[in-house]
Structures are given as structure tokens and as C-alpha cells.
Amino acid sequence: MFQCFFPDEYLDSAYAVDYEGLYEQGYRGLIFDIDNTLVPHGAPQDERSLRLFSRLKKLGFQCCFLSNNKRERVESFNRPVGQKFIENAHKPSVKNYERAMNLMGTDRKSTVFIGDQLFTDIWGAKRAGIRNILVKPLHPKEEIQIVLKRYLEKIVLHFYLKEEGRE
């Protein structure tokens, strides 16, 4: 019933992803949500995220931030690492997932999306045909419209974890 929202993988954090393993499997492009995926909502790059993007660059990944936030937020977050980015992405619309792949020079088979929201991040990636990884939100403080969606996500995640034999 809720399978269209089920992630391909569900991890505790974007920092727990086996990026070396993804690279070995042939993935070359990583699309990231920002807020509550890499840093708490509205926070700038921190040491942990800076180390991650240095590591990803050394591995050979192309990266792109795909955010529903405004340009100022995404641009300021991106400035220290100089990755590609798309603001006002209108996730879960497929258009900007495809645009991100074009910017990185990757395709559906070589790209992974990593984000913290089922109904925007993951559903959009699934609709675009991209492997996706749902991560737990980094911080409980969120905007009201996201808080409301989290209640619905809990229901979907219950069924997902049950199907995966994890609940």
C-alpha cells in the first residue's frame, strides 16, 4: 500500500553511508538534501560535513545539493565545499533530480540520492528512478509543515520496517 514511499535503504545518518561500497558498485553521483540530512535545519557546514565532502571528492564522486530552500541558504551552505546545487527544487518533482544528474554528468544507474524526508526526498528520487537512502533527521527542531509530515512518515516507516523484518 505504501511501497511507493519505501526507501531503498534506511540508515541512521548520511555519515553512516558506505560511500566506498557505493563507489565500488559503480555509483559516481551523489545528490544530497541539506537540512536535517547533513546539518541541523538552517545550520552552516560543520567540520563533519566538510570532512565528508573532502572524502567524497577523494573517492571520485560528483555531488549536488538538491534543496527546496531558497538560493541564499543553499549557496551559503555550498560555499565552503564548492559543489553543484539546485535551490527551489520543488521536490518531489522529477525535473530537478534529472537536472542534478545532468550537472554531475551521471545517469539513473550511477546516481544515489540521500535525504531525510519520505514524501519529498525519497518519493522524488523513486519517481526519478534513482537509488535512494533515507536517513534519520539530525535534529528534532523543524518547521511546522515538516513536523506534520513526520506523523505520516511514522506510519509509512512502520510498514516499511515490518516488511523489512526490522520491527
Side-chain angles (χ1 to χ4, degrees), residues 75 79 155:
E75 192 170 54
R79 198 167 290 121
I155 295 166

Side-chain angles (χ1 to χ4, degrees), residues 104-167:
M104 296 187 297
T106 61
D107 59 22
R108 287 170 171 79
K109 292 181 178 144
S110 63
T111 305
V112 178
F113 181 89
I114 300 159
D116 70 300
Q117 292 188 53
L118 278 177
F119 301 128
T120 53
D121 298 331
I122 301 306
W123 191 36
K126 289 180 78 71
R127 292 175 63 220
I130 303 170
R131 179 173 173 181
N132 56 81
I133 301 172
L134 176 68
V135 296
K136 294 177 182 173
L138 288 176
H139 196 275
K141 183 178 181 274
E142 297 183 292
E143 295 174 331
I144 188 64
Q145 70 272 17
I146 296 171
V147 172
L148 298 173
K149 284 191 275 185
R150 293 288 186 205
Y151 289 110
L152 297 172
E153 284 184 359
K154 284 181 184 181
I155 295 166
V156 174
L157 284 172
H158 166 77
F159 287 102
Y160 166 76
L161 292 171
K162 189 173 180 180
E163 188 171 290
E164 293 287 308
R166 292 169 56 183
E167 188 170 278

Side-chain angles (χ1 to χ4, degrees), residues 16-36:
V17 173
D18 178 8
Y19 294 105
E20 289 78 7
L22 290 175
Y23 197 85
E24 286 174 16
Q25 293 170 39
Y27 292 98
R28 297 297 182 263
L30 301 170
I31 305 173
F32 288 92
D33 176 52
I34 297 173
D35 287 320
N36 252 346

Side-chain angles (χ1 to χ4, degrees), residues 56-74:
L56 295 175
K57 184 176 183 177
K58 286 177 188 166
L59 283 171
F61 278 109
Q62 292 292 313
C63 297
C64 184
F65 300 119
L66 186 64
S67 176
N68 285 346
N69 259 307
K70 294 179 180 169
R71 183 173 186 89
E72 306 84 60
R73 163 67 179 138
V74 183

